[in-house]
Amino acid sequence: MLELTSIRNAGELTLDGLITYAAELNASDIFLKVGAPPGLRVVGRVVKTSLPILSPQDTERLAYEHLNSVQRGQFERLMEMNLSFTVPEVARIRQNVYRERGFVATTCRLISLRVKSLDEIGVHSEAIRNLTTGHHGLVLVTGPTGSGKTTTLAALIDY
């Protein structure tokens, strides 16, 4: 169980604050749903925080924090919305807002603002590095959620 002792009620939470907290813990994802405290994926494991349980109003307020009026209207029509934004000096965010059991819920993927090198992510293969010098062809990077596809592509492009 993770501790964030200064927050006493969910009304004090902000999405940007949760993102900053998650980044400090090297979390890759934030999960917000009604009836549960915010969850984080840390080193591949989803952990509950010690933060307050979220009400329908809390979850909707947090999920809508970065949606403009056009996006809110689209979400309310389609029941799902994907967007991205940056929390300056913290992380780039890919957010999915959706309905779960009739309530608004959201998941945020944190993407580092700093591109890690191939060495930092453990890619030492010259064959993989040489993929960046080709002029023709197609390279597919596949894998399950959270396996490092975006990180790998960013490192290859930076290389």
Side-chain angles (χ1 to χ4, degrees):
M1 207 70 136
L2 303 171
E3 290 291 321
L4 188 62
T5 57
S6 63
I7 300 292
R8 298 287 180 220
N9 72 63
E12 298 175 39
L13 295 171
T14 65
L15 186 59
D16 285 1
L18 285 168
I19 290 166
T20 301
Y21 175 62
E24 290 170 359
L25 295 172
N26 290 317
S28 60
D29 299 276
I30 299 171
F31 306 99
L32 304 177
K33 66 180 187 175
V34 172
L40 303 175
R41 184 184 315 272
V42 181
V43 193
R45 289 187 51 226
V46 176
V47 294
K48 289 182 181 179
T49 63
S50 61
L51 296 167
I53 291 173
L54 300 173
S55 71
Q57 296 80 14
D58 297 323
T59 306
E60 184 172 308
R61 177 181 54 79
L62 292 165
Y64 281 22
E65 191 170 305
H66 284 274
L67 272 65
N68 61 37
S69 60
V70 172
Q71 291 168 322
R72 286 180 187 198
Q74 185 177 350
F75 169 69
E76 288 167 7
R77 276 192 321 281
L78 302 175
M79 307 291 206
E80 184 174 28
M81 166 63 59
N82 292 302
L83 64 142
S84 62
F85 58 92
T86 300
V87 177
E89 300 182 27
V90 178
R92 181 100 179 118
I93 305 300
R94 287 194 324 232
Q95 182 181 8
N96 175 250
V97 185
Y98 57 97
R99 289 212 172 261
E100 181 177 88
R101 298 184 180 142
F103 297 112
V104 174
T106 193
T107 300
C108 295
R109 166 65 49 96
L110 283 72
I111 302 166
S112 176
L113 294 175
R114 187 180 74 77
V115 175
K116 293 180 182 177
S117 71
L118 290 172
D119 288 331
E120 285 178 288
I121 64 170
V123 176
H124 304 292
S125 165
E126 277 306 309
I128 293 174
R129 290 169 189 258
N130 289 338
L131 291 174
T132 64
T133 62
H135 297 286
H136 302 287
L138 174 68
V139 176
L140 298 177
V141 178
T142 66
T145 300
S147 64
K149 299 177 295 290
T150 301
T151 301
T152 300
L153 287 171
L156 284 168
I157 290 166
D158 193 56
Y159 176 78

